[in-house]
Amino acid sequence: MLASFILFLSIAALSLKGEDGAPAEINSHFAINQNELDAISTLLLKIKEKSFKKAFGDRSFGNDAVEDSMKPVAISGNQPEVDKAMIPFLYEGDILLNQKQAETILLNIGEDTKRIRRKRNFVSDTLAKWSQLPIKYRLHESLAFFEIAQIVRSVKFWENRTCLSFERVINIPDGDFIEFFKGQGCYSMIGRNGGRQGISIGQNCLKQGVIEHEIGHALGLWHEQSRPDADAYIKVLLDYILPSYKSDFEQQTSGIVTLGIPYDLGSVMHYGPQAFSSDKMTTTVVTKDPLFRSTIGQRETLSFYDVKTINTAYCSGKCSGATKCLNGGYPHPSRCSECVCPSGLGGSVCDTFEAPKNAECGALLTASSEWKEITSPGFPDPGYNQDQQCAWLVQSPSSSDRIEFEFIDDFSFLCTSTCVDYVELKIQADLANTGFRLCCYDMPSETFVSESSLALVIFRSQLSSDVGFKLRFRTTSRPARTTLPPPTTTTTVAPPSGSSITWSGWGEWSECSRTCGGCGVKSRTRQCPVSKCEGRRQEFNTCNLDACPVDKHCARAMSATKLCNGRICTTVSEVLSGCDEPLCCPPFFPVNGICQSDDPLVNDFIDL
């Protein structure tokens, strides 16, 4: 306890230096005095230690905390790293708790979650709801024009889709208000806390989905994976989390309600797959359905269920007897004659496809027993462009039939751990929820069968240009198949040679970070049950050494995923020169379709 407390004090002391220290920042932009802030930081330390002890027993928290404090952390690859000065004061990377919330979380760690489990992702404290509309907000003098423009755009997005209204004020008003400011990172409080309440939009926080995420916290939304039903949808890989951040994966057992909204793997409030990863590359959050592994962690914009949660919490009963919306849509609480439609759906009652963006595409299609095809814009040549969107609503003429989908020919998207350019299939019965999103270069070899006679195919490009996809569809009476068959795996656990026998055995290798080309990385860890062990806690290796297939669009695809790693950095010209042969990431080169390397950098990496 003493060592970890000294650690927290030392980090906090660093944040005190200068006028822009974390405590001074919080005191300036939130109605929290120094005594309250000290109490909150002390409670956060206790939360960390209690959660750590629950997971690791008598292992020394202080040693791990010191080591972890030197490493960068983030909750999503699409959200900036947590500022080190703010770590002693933030929960789950971007939440500034009040004292009551921190005390509740501390109390519930280790409790019988089955006994007190309550489904929730919205704050249950009625006092935390914003009761006075419009919600007043001001833009602090620290913000530049572009930052202000993105904030206003995000506020308008919330306002246009909910019954909530916002009003910008110039001077500090009486009562409760939000103050957007340029602070040390991206963070907010949960729900209304009274008086001045800041939302920090710091460096690299300007993606619209990130700002909407932080506003969501202020309106009352917790992170999606904090729900007590999360373990039905995701698995947290404890071995790959920075150990002292175990508390940031606690499933809370009180204080929040779900309001009947299903779990949403596409929520803008969800952690990404590498949240609090020990190396920023290894997966820490795995979806139970492997098809959703690249869906979690998106920060493009609010999902349909993100918005519905707020509308249910704040706007219930405003449109009784209004327009009957279809396919999961509902009347807009501020314009009851209009429907709020799930993504991919449009029309006055959500009975057709959503209008396209920057492309001529999308349709309402009727399946038959013969194969029909759908392609992304420009497929395969010249391919799609950035910032395009299309939706195809596919229906079977008989409600007893389902729809079978199969990807064919070519498949290539910008490759990221959370898809930003993708094709999304909504083949579950609930078309309102996010479907699984596919990107990168591996075309699924399996066919998929919808759960009902309706299905949606959505294409979205945000950042790049590439080949895209082609799929075909037809009616079928086969059983629904909305996920992949479970893989057959064999795990070999190597002995911890050359190190103390106090180590546990090595855990399983993580999923390879790339599908081909030799630039993939995998890692595994082992646990030290005592205060100190000799040797490495984590080891790395290369993986997936098959050369990537030849692709006439490879220059465009690879330029968007340039590899920069220490001394090695591919450039566009290097990619272009190698585009007529199987692709391998430097320092690997293709030999009979396999990526090989004699560069000592590879061995140095394996020995890390």
Side-chain angles (χ1 to χ4, degrees):
M1 173 68 182
L2 178 61
S4 55
F5 188 62
I6 292 172
L7 165 74
F8 248 59
L9 287 179
S10 62
I11 296 174
L14 288 174
S15 67
L16 278 167
K17 294 180 179 179
E19 294 182 346
D20 297 324
E25 175 175 304
I26 294 171
N27 295 155
S28 297
H29 297 284
F30 297 83
I32 298 176
N33 62 42
Q34 190 57 49
N35 289 336
E36 291 173 314
L37 186 58
D38 290 342
I40 292 167
S41 63
T42 300
L43 286 165
L44 284 172
L45 175 60
K46 292 179 179 180
I47 289 169
K48 280 180 173 287
E49 287 196 293
K50 189 175 180 181
S51 180
F52 181 93
K53 185 174 182 179
K54 184 178 75 170
F56 303 112
D58 293 332
R59 179 171 156 184
S60 171
F61 171 75
N63 290 341
D64 281 308
V66 170
E67 182 179 344
D68 294 348
S69 68
M70 304 174 187
K71 299 178 181 179
V73 293
I75 66 174
S76 170
N78 291 313
Q79 193 155 330
E81 295 174 1
V82 181
D83 192 289
K84 288 188 183 302
M86 297 304 304
I87 288 174
F89 309 102
L90 296 181
Y91 181 66
E92 295 186 351
D94 71 333
I95 297 173
L96 178 61
L97 297 172
N98 62 34
Q99 189 169 340
K100 179 182 177 181
Q101 291 165 345
E103 289 170 347
T104 300
I105 292 170
L106 178 62
L107 180 65
N108 288 335
I109 293 176
E111 294 294 320
D112 184 350
T113 57
K114 292 182 179 179
R115 179 175 60 84
I116 57 178
R117 172 167 294 193
R118 296 174 60 193
K119 291 185 177 181
R120 76 292 179 280
N121 66 332
F122 184 82
V123 62
S124 63
D125 184 356
T126 56
L127 296 177
K129 289 176 63 174
W130 295 82
S131 56
Q132 297 294 321
L133 297 180
I135 298 172
K136 297 178 181 179
Y137 74 95
R138 71 182 300 266
L139 303 165
H140 190 260
E141 295 77 12
S142 56
L143 297 166
F145 175 78
F146 182 69
E147 294 157 348
I148 290 173
Q150 286 293 88
I151 290 168
V152 171
R153 184 176 289 112
S154 301
V155 169
K156 290 294 184 184
F157 196 89
W158 271 111
E159 192 171 49
N160 289 339
R161 285 159 178 77
T162 66
C163 68
L164 300 179
S165 57
F166 296 81
E167 179 185 349
R168 183 208 169 190
V169 295
I170 306 298
N171 299 315
I172 296 176
D174 295 329
D176 304 330
F177 68 100
I178 291 172
E179 180 172 82
F180 292 96
F181 67 100
K182 187 172 185 177
Q184 299 179 78
C186 329
Y187 65 92
S188 179
M189 298 190 78
I190 297 290
R192 181 184 66 86
N193 279 267
R196 187 200 301 254
Q197 181 170 330
I199 295 180
S200 174
I201 306 299
Q203 188 174 4
N204 300 321
C205 300
L206 292 179
K207 187 184 291 252
Q208 184 172 330
V210 173
I211 301 174
E212 291 169 1
H213 175 109
E214 300 305 337
I215 296 173
H217 282 320
L219 296 178
L221 293 178
W222 291 84
H223 287 135
E224 189 76 3
Q225 80 291 328
S226 296
R227 293 168 52 137
D229 58 346
D231 53 10
Y233 303 92
I234 62 169
K235 179 181 179 181
V236 176
L237 303 182
L238 185 63
D239 287 349
Y240 305 121
I241 297 168
L242 289 168
S244 65
Y245 289 92
K246 168 63 177 64
S247 62
D248 294 291
F249 290 86
E250 290 290 337
Q251 292 175 279
Q252 299 176 49
T253 51
S254 64
I256 313 174
V257 290
T258 61
L259 305 171
I261 307 298
Y263 194 94
D264 182 8
L265 291 163
S267 169
V268 82
M269 307 305 294
H270 207 294
Y271 275 7
Q274 287 94 28
F276 297 99
S277 171
S278 57
D279 58 7
K280 289 194 66 180
M281 297 184 294
T282 305
T283 298
T284 57
V285 182
V286 177
T287 56
K288 294 289 185 73
D289 185 336
L291 287 172
F292 282 86
R293 65 183 180 184
S294 295
T295 304
I296 58 173
Q298 68 88 9
R299 293 296 184 269
E300 180 187 5
T301 193
L302 300 167
S303 73
F304 176 78
Y305 276 151
D306 290 333
V307 173
K308 188 173 182 180
T309 299
I310 293 298
N311 277 332
T312 304
Y314 283 92
C315 323
S316 181
K318 288 186 175 290
C319 292
S320 57
T323 302
K324 299 297 182 183
C325 307
L326 304 177
N327 299 317
Y330 59 92
H332 193 298
S334 293
R335 301 182 293 276
C336 295
S337 62
E338 300 178 13
C339 290
V340 179
C341 296
S343 61
L345 292 171
S348 60
V349 293
C350 311
D351 60 345
T352 188
F353 64 99
E354 185 177 1
K357 181 178 182 180
N358 297 330
E360 295 183 6
C361 56
L364 175 61
L365 303 173
T366 301
S368 68
S369 58
E370 301 296 323
W371 287 109
K372 297 180 182 180
E373 295 180 351
I374 295 173
T375 61
S376 55
F379 180 91
D381 193 10
Y384 68 79
N385 293 316
Q386 64 181 9
D387 197 24
Q388 294 181 315
Q389 184 169 311
C390 317
W392 296 265
L393 178 59
V394 184
Q395 59 186 3
S396 169
S398 170
S399 60
S400 61
D401 282 338
R402 286 173 287 276
I403 305 164
E404 182 177 16
F405 294 91
E406 181 180 20
F407 287 94
I408 57 175
D409 291 354
D410 205 352
F411 187 96
S412 185
F413 288 86
L414 171 66
C415 194
T416 50
S417 58
T418 297
C419 294
V420 292
D421 295 355
Y422 55 83
V423 55
E424 176 181 344
L425 290 189
K426 288 191 176 187
I427 55 177
Q428 68 275 16
D430 179 13
L431 293 183
N433 211 337
T434 309
F436 59 84
R437 294 173 178 178
L438 304 174
C439 55
C440 296
Y441 316 117
D442 288 342
M443 182 171 66
S445 57
E446 300 82 3
T447 63
F448 304 102
V449 179
S450 64
E451 288 184 335
S452 71
S453 59
L454 278 177
L456 270 166
V457 179
I458 300 173
F459 161 78
R460 176 67 173 131
S461 65
Q462 297 181 60
L463 294 182
S464 73
S465 301
D466 210 327
V467 175
F469 76 93
K470 177 191 283 189
L471 63 73
R472 58 183 186 174
F473 64 93
R474 65 181 178 186
T475 57
T476 183
S477 58
R478 297 170 63 188
R481 186 169 61 253
T482 61
T483 187
L484 300 174
T488 301
T489 59
T490 302
T491 301
T492 301
V493 178
S497 58
S499 62
S500 169
I501 60 172
T502 57
W503 284 106
S504 66
W506 286 106
E508 294 185 10
W509 286 106
S510 67
E511 181 181 350
C512 192
S513 60
R514 289 290 185 270
T515 58
C516 61
C519 58
V521 175
K522 63 181 180 179
S523 64
R524 61 182 181 179
T525 62
R526 54 185 176 174
Q527 300 300 326
C528 179
V530 296
S531 60
K532 186 173 179 61
C533 299
E534 298 289 336
R536 292 174 292 170
R537 187 175 69 86
Q538 184 173 40
E539 66 178 5
F540 299 83
N541 208 337
T542 56
C543 49
N544 290 347
L545 297 178
D546 290 339
C548 294
V550 177
D551 183 350
K552 61 184 177 180
H553 295 287
C554 66
R556 185 188 305 170
M558 291 293 285
S559 67
T561 54
K562 295 186 283 292
L563 171 69
C564 290
N565 185 6
R567 290 168 286 167
I568 302 299
C569 182
T570 61
T571 64
V572 175
S573 61
E574 288 172 332
V575 174
L576 287 169
S577 66
C579 231
D580 58 350
E581 60 182 348
L583 296 173
C584 292
C585 300
F588 293 89
F589 52 87
V591 177
N592 297 324
I594 302 296
C595 297
Q596 300 182 7
S597 176
D598 52 12
D599 195 305
L601 174 68
V602 177
N603 290 329
D604 291 344
F605 173 75
I606 293 173
D607 291 335
L608 287 175

